[in-house]
Amino acid sequence: MGLYLNPGNEQLRQDLRSKIYIDKSMLISKLNELIGTSDKYVCVSRPRRFGKSMAGNMIAAYYSKGCDSRELFKDLKIAGDPSFESNLNNTNVIKIDLNAMYNKATDKSNLVKFFTGLVRDEFVETFPDVGIKDDDTMPLVLERVYAKKGEKFVVIIDEYDVLVRERADKELFEEYLRFLNGMFKNADLAPAIQLAYLTGILPIVRDKIQSKLNLFAEYSMLEPRNLAEFVGFTAEETEGLCKKYGMDYDECRRWYDGYSFDDIKEVFNPKSVVEAMTIRKFSSYWTQTGSFDALRLYILMNLNGIKDDVITMIGGGKVEVKTTKYLNTMTDFNSKDAVFTYLIHLGYLAYQAPDYRTEVAGKCYIPNREIREQWIECLEDEIGYKEIIEQVQASRQLIEETIACNEKAVAAALDKAHQRATNPLTYNNEASFQSAIGLAYFYANLKYTVIKELPTGKGYADLALIPYVPNIPALIIELKCSDSADSAINQIKNKEYDDLLQHYRGDMLFVGVSYNKKSKKHTCKIERIMYYV
């Protein structure tokens, strides 16, 4: 057993001792389908604290010849899988945490030589009769062992992209590319590689690295393929934790859900869910584990109108993003598409893939309350985003005035919101009016489930706000152009809500809003009723 060659299973043992451990062992079944095939090259990218290292620990403990892990896996899902016995502790594993190596190396310029030397020393000890030389590169070491012993390898490189994120100097970067090329684009060594499993925050750089790693399949936040269930916590897993710890599942969804893929519609932030269950309190946890700078630096660029899209997303909307514009580097941010794609990989935005039958681009959005609060906090002190923060404050005030039935204050606030959200050419457009009102009430997301065009028994309500916190009323908002606010109230009363609000009990406010196209003034009428079905 070594640290890097055929490591033991102590890291998995520690993970299993955690107070909260979600069984993701069926990932091994997916990898067993690939091992020893032409599809054996896997690159998994995830945001920080999304379980990449824990997965690496598990994979190493399963394959490594340096330990016997049968007892550790006996109660995990993979133990019942037909492939479990086929590869259990029967393969040489090389496991390198490149971020740890980078931090340990006193001379960063010799990083590749540094970690190669550490791994080579363990090879010499394990295979003393192979004739490994002091200046052998790692690919050459593996070739010698394979040629003489017929030994094969699973290679795990955690944080493989650290040199990209640290913006390493050109010479070191080129040396690292040569290392990757020698390991994974080497016809002599290819038969010895049973599986290559790389993890990082960023996918493969679409430039020099891509030519070295173009045989790798990418599993990313844009397209996790068949590994989507292993990205974070699923709805089923999270709901089970909420029941176990007596926490409100719906509130947990509002705080930490929001990531979504084709096969898994709800993905929760694992770090935050674990902390919330442990502390028994919903709050911001994942956002406290990293610097705001990654978010603040790029959205302040305001490339191609980033600011307008930020306003839309903070308000709960989605904006188009062409993810092919980003080259997966830390330097090529020449468009807002590149910036938003980068923030998707970091976890600050979520991604909705396009329906290619009707759409040419996907959409990005702020996934949940925790991340939205991070965006707002990040922008509070930035002069260029003063307008956004003013809108946040105005939206908060608008909610308070609406609940207080202050009709004049609501009308005045909507005057400003309508002017702010539209231009002279679209001001009198009814769809623009509806969008402006929706943005004006965006702060309601922190206390309400906001439903645009709520279907009723007869038609639609323009905006419905159903509270998920106690002691505040539901709001049903109807919009009218060049008609009276009373008419809007009457229209609400003529619609039927019984089916959709059958579980709601409590106060409800009917809010009728009208504006005059000529004077561009809004009027408001609010009626309070008790809604008990």
Side-chain angles (χ1 to χ4, degrees), residues 78-95:
I78 186 62
D81 189 81
S83 73
F84 177 64
E85 296 288 345
S86 61
N87 296 296
L88 178 63
N89 299 131
N90 68 357
T91 311
N92 294 290
V93 169
I94 301 171
K95 185 173 183 290

Side-chain angles (χ1 to χ4, degrees), residues 182-201:
M183 288 291 292
F184 305 121
K185 293 202 73 172
N186 181 339
D188 295 329
L189 184 56
I193 303 294
Q194 286 286 84
L195 175 72
Y197 185 86
L198 274 55
T199 77
I201 292 177

Side-chain angles (χ1 to χ4, degrees), residues 212-225:
K212 314 299 181 186
L213 300 180
N214 58 9
L215 35 60
F216 276 78
E218 293 187 72
Y219 301 77
S220 71
M221 294 300 283
L222 299 176
E223 179 50 79
R225 305 190 186 206

Side-chain angles (χ1 to χ4, degrees), residues 292-531:
F292 293 178
D293 292 342
L295 178 58
R296 178 184 292 117
L297 176 63
Y298 297 105
I299 59 180
L300 289 179
M301 290 179 175
N302 200 29
L303 293 167
N304 312 108
I306 284 179
K307 187 184 297 185
D308 294 336
D309 285 347
V310 168
I311 293 173
T312 297
M313 288 191 290
I314 289 180
K318 299 179 180 181
V319 299
E320 283 196 354
V321 57
K322 295 180 180 178
T323 57
T324 56
K325 297 288 186 179
Y326 181 46
L327 299 179
N328 303 337
T329 71
M330 297 293 291
T331 56
D332 299 308
F333 294 103
N334 52 13
S335 70
K336 71 176 181 181
D337 291 306
V339 172
F340 288 160
T341 305
Y342 172 61
L343 294 176
I344 290 169
H345 292 305
L346 292 187
Y348 286 111
L349 292 175
Y351 179 67
Q352 176 182 301
D355 179 346
Y356 287 108
R357 294 170 298 180
T358 57
E359 300 173 303
V360 296
K363 294 180 180 179
C364 61
Y365 56 96
I366 298 173
N368 53 51
R369 175 174 177 175
E370 180 183 27
I371 306 299
R372 182 176 288 108
E373 288 188 352
Q374 172 81 96
W375 278 77
I376 293 173
E377 184 175 350
C378 173
L379 297 173
E380 278 181 338
D381 298 324
E382 300 299 335
I383 296 175
Y385 280 81
K386 183 179 178 181
E387 180 184 353
I388 293 179
I389 302 307
E390 288 177 350
Q391 286 183 257
V392 171
Q393 295 168 345
S395 182
R396 182 191 294 117
Q397 183 66 28
L398 177 59
I399 296 293
E400 294 174 359
E401 299 289 3
T402 305
I403 292 174
C405 297
N406 191 338
E407 297 170 345
K408 290 185 179 180
V410 171
L414 294 179
D415 278 343
K416 293 180 181 179
H418 198 168
Q419 292 172 15
R420 184 186 295 121
T422 58
N423 61 55
L425 294 178
T426 62
Y427 186 90
N428 286 328
N429 180 280
E430 191 165 351
S432 297
F433 176 40
Q434 187 178 49
S435 176
I437 303 303
L439 284 173
Y441 278 98
F442 80 85
Y443 193 80
N445 283 282
L446 300 183
K447 296 181 179 180
Y448 290 89
T449 298
V450 180
I451 307 172
K452 297 178 180 178
E453 294 194 335
L454 172 72
T456 69
K458 299 177 180 178
Y460 292 83
D462 288 306
L463 200 64
L465 282 64
I466 312 301
Y468 54 76
V469 299
N471 303 319
I472 59 174
L475 308 178
I476 302 296
I477 302 172
E478 189 75 30
L479 312 176
K480 284 290 186 180
C481 298
S482 295
D483 205 340
S484 70
D486 286 314
S487 175
I489 291 288
N490 290 332
Q491 187 164 325
I492 296 175
K493 292 178 177 178
N494 289 333
K495 295 178 178 178
E496 298 172 1
Y497 296 90
D498 290 7
D499 290 342
L500 287 151
L501 300 176
Q502 58 182 314
H503 300 299
Y504 178 72
R505 304 289 184 273
D507 280 355
M508 177 179 292
L509 299 182
F510 286 176
V511 183
V513 178
S514 177
Y515 86 99
N516 187 292
K517 291 184 177 181
K518 293 182 179 179
S519 66
K520 296 185 179 180
K521 291 296 182 181
H522 296 71
T523 56
C524 176
K525 179 76 173 180
I526 302 175
E527 288 190 14
R528 183 185 298 269
I529 67 169
M530 295 299 292
Y531 198 85

